[in-house]
Amino acid sequence: MTALHGGPPVKHLHNYHELTFKLMDDPTRWRERVVEKIVIEDADDVRVTSSYQIRLPLGLVQEVWPSCGSGDLVRILLPLTTRPKGVLLDVDLKGTEGHHCALLLKHQLARLQANFVLWVANAPPGETLASMDADEVLYAISAYSPAIWNQHVAELRNESPQTLAEYLKFGLRLDVRLDDVRHWSELVAPASELLAASMGTPIDLQSAVVHVPRCLPFVEHRPATVDDVSDWLGRFCLYVESVDARTRSIVAAYGQRWDVMIDTVVPVDVPTKIQLGTKRPWHDVAVERPARRRAPGVITQRVMLGDAQSGHVEVHLVDHGARIVGPPEVVDTEGSVIGIPRVDALRMTDDKLSIYVAGEDAPAYVDLSVRLRLRTPMHWLLWLLTLAAAASLPLVVAADSTVLLDESAALLLLPLAGAVLLARPATGAAERLQRRLRGALVGTVALILLVLTVRLTLAVLLSGDEVSAKSGTACPLATSTHDVACVVVDGVTPAKYRSE
């Protein structure tokens, strides 16, 4: 036990992984409440802050530290939540009362998750399954990130077996051939089907358990030969067939999600709060939903309603030129719309939405879709500006003289004023909602400028030709370049230019 910076003593239990495994095994036992706050202020991303109220069970800690009392500080590896596989952007992690709080490195997390699978299956790490080499594939599934594979496909512009062979040849540094890839894919196909079926919910098509060979470059220890890979995959398939459905579901879950594991200090048996802030894209769902939820004014986020004993979701819109419209759509992972009584309470204003959920029957993950729209005055102002600009176009086209054409330039004042109005500083959310109307207005103004420019150019060229045709001779007194404008009009020379 040590004291940090002169503060109260801290018991270091971060190396007692069995304590962490028990927390991973029953997270709702100690996660009392989760509040997810979604702030919309950008055209492409939203800021999501997840606040967890936790209470570390005293009895659980006393299993490894019998003298522990309520309020004592312990340093542990805490499974705060789970997230879809991908990069956490702009992370802001805050521990309790200023204590240190850090995310585990990727390879540390992959090893911990692989050992947790072995622990659930009652096989101590380093014994049964280690000798079977099955945990190499378990580690690879936990460590796998689809972004690297997607980048490889984007560079080669195809997703054929030959592409997979090149990917594995580079990742494993072995002479992987097309026949090897086909053999491995056929070998793991039955195990992939068992794992996908154990999820009980739609599985991400990019999941590692759907494409087990894609995980191979992420193994903890690089294989020496191609035969070693075949042996690992064969033993992994035997393992999947031998374990129970719960263990399979955990392996399948790690194929498309990973735990947000933090190394932190928390008090025992005392309510405390930990915050995790990240940036996410507007549409942040793993399984594609109907296209209408991907409309420009619709934001869709996967939220963790069942991640704790009770959940609270808040959506904040910081742009006063837009508003939240209609009831939100809350859909579970099977695509069913969720409503009362599973949602306990719903409160909505123009710029804030709150959803409250409590109870053990709350789904772990839901897709929340919220529709945004410009406020009515701004919406109609943009429409009127666009219509006014469109109405001025026929007048510019119909002007039949240079004088009318010159005067028609005044019609540009209205659309240009509208363009200046829309160019004012605005939040990213408003810019996203205005894209279609702004595009229509900009296109109309550009068309008016093009027509006006063409007509003025033609008018100048035609007037020049007419003047040249009617000017028979130059003025007799034209003695400098300033007199070139003096011409004979209709055969008559103006009196002031006649020679005496």
Side-chain angles (χ1 to χ4, degrees):
M1 184 179 294
T2 61
L4 298 179
H5 308 293
V10 175
K11 181 69 173 180
H12 293 267
L13 302 179
H14 58 287
N15 290 324
Y16 289 83
H17 290 174
E18 187 168 358
L19 173 60
T20 300
F21 293 158
K22 291 181 179 180
L23 295 174
M24 297 168 68
D25 197 37
D26 189 10
T28 56
R29 176 184 175 185
W30 52 273
R31 293 181 195 154
E32 296 182 337
R33 183 178 180 83
V34 57
V35 178
E36 293 222 78
K37 184 176 181 181
I38 303 171
V39 179
I40 308 170
E41 57 185 4
D42 192 276
D44 300 306
D45 301 297
V46 297
R47 185 73 187 177
V48 181
T49 302
S50 303
S51 301
Y52 287 86
Q53 176 182 310
I54 67 171
R55 187 194 299 264
L56 198 60
L58 176 60
L60 198 61
V61 178
Q62 286 179 336
E63 293 179 8
V64 295
W65 183 22
S67 62
C68 175
S70 180
D72 289 342
L73 295 177
V74 294
R75 178 188 174 189
I76 60 171
L77 299 182
L78 187 71
L80 185 63
T81 183
T82 60
R83 286 288 184 268
K85 288 199 171 184
V87 179
L88 295 178
L89 301 176
D90 197 10
V91 177
D92 182 17
L93 192 59
K94 296 180 180 179
T96 61
E97 301 176 356
H99 293 296
H100 94 282
C101 193
L103 290 170
L104 256 64
L105 298 178
K106 182 179 177 180
H107 71 275
Q108 295 172 328
L109 176 60
R111 172 42 55 200
L112 195 66
Q113 290 182 166
N115 287 346
F116 174 62
V117 173
L118 306 183
W119 180 82
V120 171
N122 295 319
E127 296 182 10
T128 308
L129 292 178
S131 62
M132 295 171 59
D133 291 327
D135 80 326
E136 282 289 351
V137 181
L138 291 176
Y139 178 95
I141 289 175
S142 297
Y144 171 70
S145 175
I148 298 178
W149 162 254
N150 293 336
Q151 179 64 31
H152 184 76
V153 171
E155 291 177 357
L156 298 182
R157 299 183 179 180
N158 68 77
E159 199 170 340
S160 64
Q162 183 61 43
T163 301
L164 180 57
E166 295 293 331
Y167 166 81
L168 294 176
K169 182 184 296 184
F170 176 79
L172 294 174
R173 299 180 183 178
L174 295 175
D175 186 19
V176 179
R177 302 183 180 183
L178 188 59
D179 291 340
D180 297 323
V181 170
R182 290 172 176 166
H183 170 63
W184 294 340
S185 299
E186 293 174 359
L187 180 63
V188 299
S192 295
E193 293 178 1
L194 285 174
L195 292 172
S198 68
M199 286 287 291
T201 58
I203 194 167
D204 183 6
L205 296 180
Q206 296 293 325
S207 171
V209 299
V210 177
H211 307 282
V212 175
R214 295 181 187 176
C215 308
L216 294 175
F218 295 85
V219 292
E220 190 172 18
H221 304 97
R222 198 174 302 278
T225 64
V226 171
D227 291 337
D228 288 343
V229 178
S230 299
D231 185 57
W232 287 355
L233 291 175
R235 294 180 183 276
F236 171 73
C237 293
L238 293 175
Y239 165 70
V240 171
E241 294 174 0
S242 65
V243 298
D244 58 12
R246 180 170 179 268
T247 304
R248 290 176 191 161
S249 67
I250 295 174
V251 176
Y254 284 153
Q256 59 190 40
R257 296 193 298 270
W258 48 32
D259 290 306
V260 178
M261 191 72 62
I262 60 175
D263 184 345
T264 187
V265 175
V266 295
V268 178
D269 198 33
V270 175
T272 189
K273 183 176 76 171
I274 298 177
Q275 283 188 343
L276 172 66
T278 59
K279 272 192 174 183
R280 303 183 196 170
W282 267 51
H283 299 284
D284 184 42
V285 292
V287 181
E288 288 296 328
R289 299 300 182 190
R292 63 188 178 87
R293 296 183 197 158
R294 295 188 65 93
V298 176
I299 175 175
T300 304
Q301 291 292 306
R302 174 151 291 188
V303 296
M304 321 305 235
L305 284 183
D307 216 18
Q309 298 171 20
S310 64
H312 178 198
V313 180
E314 296 181 357
V315 180
H316 288 256
L317 180 61
V318 298
D319 185 2
H320 298 295
R323 62 190 178 95
I324 300 174
V325 296
E329 186 178 69
V330 183
V331 180
D332 63 18
T333 53
E334 296 180 356
S336 302
V337 177
I338 299 173
I340 305 297
R342 299 182 77 178
V343 174
D344 295 332
L346 172 66
R347 181 177 179 270
M348 187 175 70
T349 62
D350 283 352
D351 55 5
K352 185 176 181 180
L353 169 69
S354 298
I355 299 176
Y356 301 87
V357 176
E360 296 180 355
D361 61 339
Y365 311 98
V366 298
D367 292 337
L368 173 66
S369 296
V370 179
R371 184 176 295 276
L372 308 180
R373 184 176 296 170
L374 292 174
R375 291 186 183 269
T376 302
M378 177 61 67
H379 181 77
W380 282 110
L381 176 61
L382 293 176
W383 268 112
L384 289 175
L385 288 171
T386 304
L387 292 176
S392 67
L393 181 59
L395 299 179
V396 175
V397 175
D400 57 358
S401 70
T402 304
V403 176
L404 290 177
L405 195 59
D406 291 339
E407 293 178 351
S408 66
L411 294 173
L412 292 176
L413 294 177
L414 186 60
L416 288 177
V420 171
L421 177 64
L422 292 179
R424 76 196 191 286
T427 65
E431 189 275 333
R432 186 184 184 101
L433 297 176
Q434 294 175 5
R435 281 177 183 173
R436 290 181 177 178
L437 285 175
R438 286 167 64 96
L441 182 56
V442 170
T444 305
V445 171
L447 186 58
I448 291 175
L449 289 172
L450 178 62
V451 172
L452 186 61
T453 301
V454 172
R455 292 214 57 189
L456 286 174
T457 302
L458 292 175
V460 171
L461 293 176
L462 291 175
S463 63
D465 292 341
E466 292 177 359
V467 170
S468 299
K470 292 181 179 181
S471 58
T473 59
C475 292
L477 298 181
T479 59
S480 69
T481 57
H482 298 288
D483 295 324
V484 294
C486 174
V487 295
V488 178
V489 180
D490 295 333
V492 180
T493 303
K496 65 179 181 178
Y497 292 117
R498 295 176 188 156
S499 60
E500 297 179 357

